Amino acid sequence: MTSTTQDDQKHASLRTGRDYPWGCLARQWSGFLLFAFVLTHLLNHAVGIFGIEAMQYVQQWRWLIWQSWPGSVLFYAAVVVHMFLSGYRIALRRTWRMPPDEMWQIVSGLTIPLLAVGHVLQTRVAGSMFGADISYGSVLFLMWPAVVFSQTMLIVVAWSHGVIGLHHALRYQPWYRHWRIPGYILAVLIPCLAFAGFVSAGREASKLTFEPRTQEQAAGVEEVGMVVRSGVAGFAVAFVGLMGLLYLRRRVGSTITITYRGYGPVEVPAGTSVLEASRTHHIPHPSSCRGRGRCATCRVQILAGEGNVAEPFGAESAILNSIAAPPSVRLACQVRPSSDISVRVLMPVLGRHVTSDQDAEALEWAMERDAAVLVLDLRAFATLTQNRLPYEIAVLVNRFSNEMCQAVESHDGRIDVMYGDGLTAVFDQSEHRAVNARSALRAAQDMGRVLEMLNAEMRGVLPIPIRAGIGIHTGRVVLARIGDGIHQQEIRAIGDTLSVAAALESASKDFIADCMVSKETADASGFNFSGMVLREVMLDGGHTSIQAYAIPDAGRLEQVTSSSPVLGTLKLAGA
Ligand code: FES
């Protein structure tokens, strides 16, 4: 047997018990489908505010999707896949220490089938197997008011389960943060409206008369109900039994030692993930996505025993590649060592004083995104402040800072760093590169205007007019939270894009220009730069270069920004 084959076999055996990426995907997509089902169901409930007739009208359309044979097949398949894979994931757990929302996901997921059984029997089963009338009015007439409590519980439990799942599945999408507030509002509004519609329609139904179910129909539903309830109870007993067996197996099975730098060794059953080991032994360990392999905040460096963990593959491999992690760095939530290893947790858990939303902030420890970066430097600052009283210098610097901040913030920019005679601003509020580039250019134009105004205001006070050089470049930046966990921590932009913007600002002196705009920014903005001179700016001590437009003054920049942007330039950030 070749060594490669031996390695393959070893890695295959080490993978046993891992949460396979296809499983994650299937669980996620089945969850999306079930969420869509619950959403349409609750919206239909909400229509009950306008009466049973309106509710039933919408129900016909909903049935076209969910009662059709493709809709039914998809729905039942999603139920089976989601239940099976979620149960499997729970069975894999080596610790029950977890954040509250994760615990609620498990509890609500196990409760939904119990709460939904009665509802399913009186609707789907009664309708499809016994031909009963299962329109809203008929079902509400039959079940009102006995079901108010259980149905309300079902709405709350199913909806919260879905919303938390959706939040964790989508939160790393670049567009998510823009939709977070409307999403929170809808997450509260939809179940409230559904409850209101349900109560209103239920009260209306109780005053009407619908054809009662025949004895055969009632008996048939009851008979099937016995079978289904026995099945659910059997499933629950089998699941609890399986969990117990797995627990016993782990208790009597082999253990391994994970040694944490700074925390020492801990002993855990073989097959435990490093993140589970941290949670079991109270070792601070960030896990922004709750161990779903999507955020990389749990990453660890393997200091010893690298051969005792399987090679990364699938989702883990993809996320490690995306952050260009060295081979010794792994995701703690995905790594289940088969033997002793030694690790170092790479990302510290943020101090509680930093933010109340620790989870959201942890994400921002290292978020990469597209941005336009503007670097501004005040020229001849030493001459400007020569022979000035400290008070005068403070007034000048503060006036300058306030005006520049306003110019940046009025165009959706953010001050990254501010020093006495300059600043770095980041424009990253849009997913569209064009929007960020235009914002930076318009901010630069405002800065030019403000400097003219300041010069007019301070004529006779300053020895020379205030002048500034500006460099603007567009590209990827890493936003990282910088600080020591005790003092104030700030989000700062890091990366080549900032260095290039700074180099352009520096080159503005050589080209006797107020502003240097990289060709990337100019192209992204869609503005017309045709009258401007394109220059070659040397970077890295002359090893590389970049093309940039030299804009002589604020007036010429205004010409550019007042040109109509070329259509079709709204590219997505990073595209
Ligand atoms: S906790 Fe998010 S990748 Fe591990």
Side-chain angles (χ1 to χ4, degrees):
M1 190 182 288
T2 65
S3 64
T4 310
T5 314
Q6 281 170 345
D7 282 353
D8 288 349
Q9 284 192 350
K10 183 181 174 194
H11 287 142
S13 68
L14 287 172
R15 278 176 195 156
T16 306
R18 285 183 63 169
D19 197 0
Y20 284 89
W22 67 262
C24 291
L25 278 178
R27 197 178 68 242
Q28 195 176 77
W29 280 99
S30 56
F32 286 154
L33 202 120
L34 294 177
F35 184 80
F37 175 82
V38 173
L39 175 66
T40 51
H41 209 85
L42 294 198
L43 290 176
N44 202 161
H45 275 18
V47 176
I49 295 170
F50 304 105
I52 289 179
E53 214 170 308
M55 218 176 180
Q56 290 184 166
Y57 178 76
V58 175
Q59 187 182 39
Q60 290 170 15
W61 290 98
R62 190 164 57 84
W63 278 355
L64 276 182
I65 304 169
W66 298 111
Q67 300 268 355
S68 66
W69 74 260
S72 296
V73 168
L74 271 176
F75 173 71
Y76 289 123
V79 170
V80 172
V81 167
H82 203 70
M83 279 178 66
F84 176 77
L85 291 176
S86 301
Y88 175 69
R89 189 161 185 261
I90 294 170
L92 276 185
R93 297 193 75 91
R94 301 298 200 274
T95 176
W96 290 96
R97 275 188 230 284
M98 65 189 90
D101 62 333
E102 201 177 342
M103 178 60 90
W104 176 247
Q105 277 295 81
I106 293 175
V107 172
S108 59
L110 295 173
T111 315
I112 290 169
L114 303 175
L115 289 170
V117 167
H119 182 69
V120 173
L121 285 171
Q122 295 301 340
T123 52
R124 283 223 167 210
V125 171
S128 59
M129 291 180 72
F130 302 101
D133 177 9
I134 55 166
S135 62
Y136 261 113
S138 174
V139 173
L140 283 170
F141 175 72
L142 189 74
M143 299 169 81
W144 188 267
V147 293
V148 174
F149 180 72
S150 64
Q151 291 307 291
T152 306
M153 286 296 291
L154 183 56
I155 290 175
V156 171
V157 170
W159 181 250
S160 60
H161 182 87
V163 165
I164 294 172
L166 202 67
H167 166 71
H168 282 298
L170 301 179
R171 58 187 303 207
Y172 301 108
Q173 300 299 325
W175 48 265
Y176 184 76
R177 65 199 177 101
H178 301 296
W179 290 95
R180 203 161 52 176
I181 303 297
Y184 287 159
I185 294 169
L186 287 176
V188 175
L189 199 61
I190 288 174
C192 290
L193 289 175
F195 177 72
F198 170 60
V199 171
S200 166
R203 291 170 73 174
E204 187 185 338
S206 65
K207 292 179 195 140
L208 300 174
T209 307
F210 289 87
E211 201 177 313
R213 291 202 176 153
T214 62
Q215 276 193 345
E216 292 79 45
Q217 286 171 336
V221 170
E222 193 51 40
E223 216 170 294
V224 175
M226 291 287 286
V227 176
V228 173
R229 286 195 180 95
S230 309
V232 170
F235 180 79
V237 170
F239 184 70
V240 171
L242 177 70
M243 296 290 292
L245 278 176
L246 288 170
Y247 176 76
L248 281 177
R249 200 177 136 217
R250 285 198 291 271
R251 295 287 294 184
V252 297
S254 60
T255 58
I256 59 163
T257 300
I258 301 178
T259 306
Y260 288 81
R261 178 175 284 182
Y263 296 94
V266 301
E267 206 167 300
V268 290
T272 303
S273 78
V274 175
L275 182 63
E276 287 169 340
S278 304
R279 285 177 175 175
T280 306
H281 292 275
H282 303 281
I283 292 167
H285 202 146
S287 57
S288 188
C289 73
R290 308 287 189 249
R292 290 172 173 83
R294 295 181 196 138
C295 68
T297 54
C298 66
R299 58 187 183 267
V300 290
Q301 183 182 11
I302 303 201
L303 303 170
E306 233 174 295
N308 296 331
V309 295
E311 292 288 326
F313 73 107
E316 186 190 5
S317 174
I319 199 162
L320 289 173
N321 285 340
S322 75
I323 58 170
S328 61
V329 169
R330 300 294 302 273
L331 298 187
C333 63
Q334 303 298 309
V335 167
R336 294 179 186 275
S338 61
S339 195
D340 299 353
I341 61 167
S342 175
V343 299
R344 180 163 73 98
V345 179
L346 291 174
M347 309 282 281
V349 173
L350 297 181
R352 287 192 192 286
H353 65 285
V354 174
T355 168
S356 58
D357 190 358
Q358 184 177 341
D359 184 42
E361 294 297 320
L363 168 68
E364 292 173 3
W365 265 96
M367 177 189 281
E368 194 184 18
R369 66 169 57 152
D370 206 79
V373 175
L374 181 154
V375 173
L376 174 141
D377 194 48
L378 209 51
R379 300 246 168 92
F381 186 68
T383 313
L384 270 174
T385 54
Q386 213 170 23
N387 301 326
R388 303 277 119 194
L389 293 171
Y391 173 79
E392 284 180 283
I393 297 173
V395 168
L396 173 65
V397 167
N398 279 304
R399 190 70 212 286
F400 170 77
S401 307
N402 286 341
E403 296 293 348
M404 294 302 126
C405 284
Q406 278 186 35
V408 169
E409 283 161 7
S410 63
H411 292 284
D412 288 335
R414 195 165 43 75
I415 300 292
D416 188 61
V417 189
M418 187 105 204
Y419 10 87
D421 59 347
L423 62 87
T424 299
V426 176
F427 298 80
D428 60 354
Q429 293 300 302
S430 173
E431 291 164 35
H432 297 289
R433 186 176 292 176
V435 175
N436 293 331
R438 285 174 206 157
S439 298
L441 287 164
R442 288 185 174 125
Q445 178 201 327
D446 280 4
M447 288 170 168
R449 275 204 213 117
V450 167
L451 285 181
E452 281 173 16
M453 183 196 77
L454 279 178
N455 281 327
E457 197 181 297
M458 297 194 174
R459 190 175 298 135
V461 177
L462 296 174
I464 53 168
I466 308 171
R467 290 202 61 201
I470 294 174
I472 304 176
H473 184 49
T474 298
R476 303 296 284 171
V477 297
V478 171
L479 296 180
R481 186 165 281 279
I482 293 175
D484 60 6
I486 296 169
H487 303 100
Q488 182 67 40
Q489 297 180 339
E490 291 175 351
I491 295 171
R492 287 273 168 80
I494 310 167
D496 285 350
T497 306
L498 281 91
S499 317
V500 173
L504 291 177
E505 181 283 314
S506 181
S508 67
K509 292 182 206 110
D510 304 333
F511 294 113
I512 316 177
D514 278 359
C515 184
M516 297 292 292
V517 179
S518 71
K519 191 160 182 307
E520 279 88 342
T521 307
D523 291 347
S525 73
F527 286 138
N528 184 359
F529 278 75
S530 57
M532 305 299 141
V533 183
L534 196 57
R535 302 284 192 178
E536 199 78 17
V537 178
M538 304 314 287
L539 304 173
D540 293 337
H543 294 301
T544 54
S545 65
I546 184 172
Q547 290 189 312
Y549 289 100
I551 317 282
D553 51 46
R556 299 299 295 277
L557 188 54
E558 194 162 348
Q559 270 178 24
V560 169
T561 54
S562 56
S563 64
S564 305
V566 177
L567 291 175
T569 51
L570 277 183
K571 289 181 204 143
L572 269 181

